[in-house]
Structures are given as structure tokens and as C-alpha cells.
Amino acid sequence: MTVKRPTSSSVVLSWMPVAAMVVVAAADVVAGPGVGFLPLAALGPAFAGLLGGWRRVALIGAVALVLCVGLGLYDGLFQERRGFSAMASVAGVTGAGIAAAVMRGRREAELASVRSIAEVAQRVLLRPVPRTAGPLQAAVSYTSAVAEARIGGDLYEVVASPHGVRVIVGDVQGKGLTAVETAAVVLGAFREAAHDEPDLVVLGERLERSVARELEGEKFVTAVLAEIASDREVVFLNYGHPAPMVVRRDGTLDFPQPPSYALPLGLGAHGIEGPKPHRVAFAPGEQLLLYTDGVTEARDEAGSFYPLGERAHLLKASDAHGALEALRADLMRHTAGPPHDDAAMLLLRYHGHGEGKSVPIE
């Protein structure tokens, strides 16, 4: 289990009530009763309400009341209304702090429940890809553009079917829950059809029909389908998606383009021809990276796009997951901040009989 360490800001906030009461007490003793520092003892429970539960607020409030009584007696303020007014101020702020802490605790509990549901949704929608599928090693990286989000409009899946290892990487137009719902439709259709359909083109047609039933207007999904069988080649079916990157054994790169460009899923109206499959050599010791445009269109502070081809050397680590994490970390450094679009990457290594050996990239 991961232990969450307190941040410097939380440490400062936790000590702020004590510091405030110490400063108020010192100032009151030095300045005397004529200045009127005593009501400022309410700063203790006020700051306590910013962090922690209601019990902590009540404890700090009780300490502030004791301090208020002590200073009031020292200054002789209980012979007039000022001492009682200061105590009323401390008691009122303490009560308000307790109520705020209780409400905040309820909201945090609700947020924790929502996050738990989101994690379950993530596991259902974007399931962890298998570490190995047939002759392939697989690793995946997903970075959402929405803060605290685990899922978004990008999608991926790897299925070891009777017809070979079948893969999809896609990007749903738009963001938010609508994009997540569309991604769920595409992935559900792909997972079922990948096992049933012996032909990759027919599989793509089933996806097109499923998406067309769900989407309305001009919404669409770009996607690339890949099939790796036992003949040391990969078959691609590209629906308006960025071309994959193939890293050869000698370190050279290949971005195989489709013979003709096709419309994304959801825009395949009647009479428009769908994408044509194209075959690319893919042998043991080589790598295949499928990604979404959130990777190649990520910009740095100067507005330059991320140079994916120039960063292929980061994939030379022996562990596929470590290599992909190195590439993701470099992408985050390039953007120098949160990404503006979801970024998904799926790395496939053809290990063949050399599983576990490093991939030589110059």
C-alpha cells in the first residue's frame, strides 16, 4: 500500500492555528489590554477549519477558549464586556469551523466514492493489456488531458484471437462523458468481433456499423486496427488515424501509410469505400508503436510539435513497460505542463524466440 506523505503546504496549515494563537498571546501580553488583541484568538479555530476533521477544530477551539480566559483574567477584561465578547467570538468561530469540517468530510467521502467508481469504470473500459500476446510483448501508456481523470476519449485494446493478435488504438472526437461512452461502444464491439470475424476488413465493417448506430451528426472516431499473425507481418486497417511507427532491428523507422485514406469510424456513409488493408513486414526484434494525435500534436512552449521519430531511441530498454514510460516522461517534459489532449501509446515488441532480450536500437 502506498503511504501518502504530507506536502509542505499541509504541514504549514496544520501548524498555523498554534502559531496564530502564540502570536496573539504574545502580542496581547506585550501590548496590554488597551490594544484589543484578545478577539484574535479566534484565528486558531478559524485556521484549524482549513485542514483536518471536526474533532481537531473542536480541540483547537477549546484551547483558544482557555487562552482567551487566561488572557482575559490577566488583562482584567471580565470586569467589562470585552472579555465575554472575545469568548463569544472564539466560540462562534469554533462552531462555524466544526460545521465546515463536517461538511468537508462528507464531500471528501463522496469524492472518494466517485473516484472508486471511476477506477472500476477504468478497469472495465480500458482494461490492462496482457504483458504477452502470442509472439508479442505489450505495454500501454495513457495520459488524460483532464485533471484527476483516469479515462477519456482515447481507447486501446489487445486481443489474442484465433485469427492472430488483433489490436486497436483510437481517438474519439470530443471530450467528457460523451467521449467515454463512445469509446465504450467501440471497445465493446471490437472485443466481440475480434474473436468472431476471421477477416480484418469485416471486423472493421462491424465497428463502423456499431459506431454509426450510436453517434449522431458529425461525430466520429479515428482508429487504426492491426493484425499480427504467424507470417511475420502486420496488417493495418486505418480509419483516418496517425500512421503507426515501426522500429526495425537496425534502428531505422517506418511510418507505413495506407494505400488510400479512409474516413473515420462514424462517417462511412453508404456508397463510400472503407479503408483497404495494407501489409507491412514485422519480424522478431522489431517494435510497433501505435498512438493517438495527443502524442504527435503535443507542443512545447515554443509551439513545436513533439518529434516522435527523433525520440525512438528511448524505446531501447529491455523492459517494454520501462521503455514506454521513458517515452511518456519525455513527452511530459516536452509539453512542460499538463497535456492539452489525451495521449495514448501502445507498444508491441515482436520477441519471437528471444523473449526478454534487449531490442538493439542505435
Side-chain angles (χ1 to χ4, degrees):
M1 182 179 67
T2 302
V3 179
K4 186 178 181 180
R5 297 181 178 179
T7 62
S8 58
S9 60
S10 63
V11 172
V12 171
L13 285 176
S14 65
W15 284 100
M16 192 172 290
V18 177
M21 290 188 294
V22 169
V23 170
V24 169
D28 186 82
V29 171
V30 172
V35 179
F37 279 118
L38 192 57
L40 294 180
L43 290 175
F47 285 130
L50 300 176
L51 185 70
W54 68 268
R55 292 182 177 85
R56 182 173 183 270
V57 178
L59 177 61
I60 297 295
V63 173
L65 280 174
V66 171
L67 178 64
C68 191
V69 171
L71 291 176
L73 292 174
Y74 175 79
D75 294 332
L77 298 180
F78 288 107
Q79 298 177 2
E80 50 184 301
R81 294 181 179 180
R82 290 173 58 190
F84 296 102
S85 298
M87 290 186 62
S89 299
V90 173
V93 172
T94 300
I98 291 174
V102 170
M103 295 177 63
R104 187 181 65 250
R106 291 177 179 174
R107 289 196 299 269
E108 290 175 351
E110 293 174 356
L111 180 60
S113 176
V114 170
R115 286 179 175 174
S116 177
I117 295 173
E119 290 177 356
V120 173
Q122 179 193 23
R123 289 194 293 268
V124 173
L125 180 59
L126 296 178
R127 300 181 300 196
V129 300
R131 295 185 66 90
T132 59
L136 305 174
Q137 276 185 322
V140 69
S141 168
Y142 190 100
T143 304
S144 175
V146 181
E148 300 295 332
R150 303 293 185 90
I151 53 180
D154 288 1
L155 57 96
Y156 57 82
E157 184 60 288
V158 177
V159 174
S161 74
H163 318 291
V165 178
R166 287 175 164 175
V167 179
I168 184 173
V169 170
D171 185 0
V172 179
Q173 179 202 25
K175 294 181 175 62
L177 292 178
T178 303
V180 174
E181 293 174 357
T182 304
V185 170
V186 176
L187 287 173
F190 175 79
R191 287 164 181 162
E192 179 181 0
H195 287 280
D196 297 341
E197 300 295 344
D199 187 84
L200 189 65
V201 174
V202 178
L203 190 159
E205 292 173 350
R206 283 185 57 173
L207 291 182
E208 175 63 51
R209 291 194 296 269
S210 298
V211 174
R213 283 195 301 266
E214 297 293 331
L215 297 186
E216 299 178 357
E218 298 298 322
K219 296 181 179 180
F220 57 86
V221 181
T222 68
V224 58
L225 279 64
E227 179 181 279
I228 301 96
S230 58
D231 48 4
R232 297 194 176 188
E233 67 177 9
V234 56
V235 183
F236 293 112
L237 203 61
N238 196 314
Y239 289 87
H241 199 77
M245 181 177 72
V246 181
V247 184
R248 303 299 181 187
R249 288 187 60 89
D250 60 1
T252 58
L253 304 178
D254 186 12
F255 291 86
Q257 301 291 334
S260 60
Y261 288 93
L263 294 175
L265 294 169
L267 300 181
H270 295 291
I272 298 179
E273 187 177 4
K276 296 181 179 179
H278 56 291
R279 300 175 180 271
V280 177
F282 188 45
E286 297 181 339
Q287 303 184 83
L288 171 62
L289 181 70
L290 299 99
Y291 52 89
T292 59
D293 59 9
V295 175
T296 52
E297 294 183 3
R299 296 174 180 264
D300 61 10
E301 295 178 349
S304 301
F305 292 114
Y306 182 68
L308 179 60
E310 298 176 10
R311 300 296 196 269
H313 65 276
L314 296 173
L315 300 176
K316 64 183 178 181
S318 58
D319 177 65
H321 292 270
L324 194 57
E325 179 57 31
L327 187 62
R328 177 185 179 277
D330 185 73
L331 176 64
M332 293 300 99
R333 286 192 296 269
H334 178 82
T335 57
H340 298 289
D341 193 8
D342 297 340
M345 295 183 287
L346 178 62
L347 178 64
L348 299 175
R349 284 183 169 178
Y350 199 142
H351 57 70
H353 298 292
E355 182 177 359
K357 296 181 180 181
S358 62
V359 179
I361 300 178
E362 301 298 335

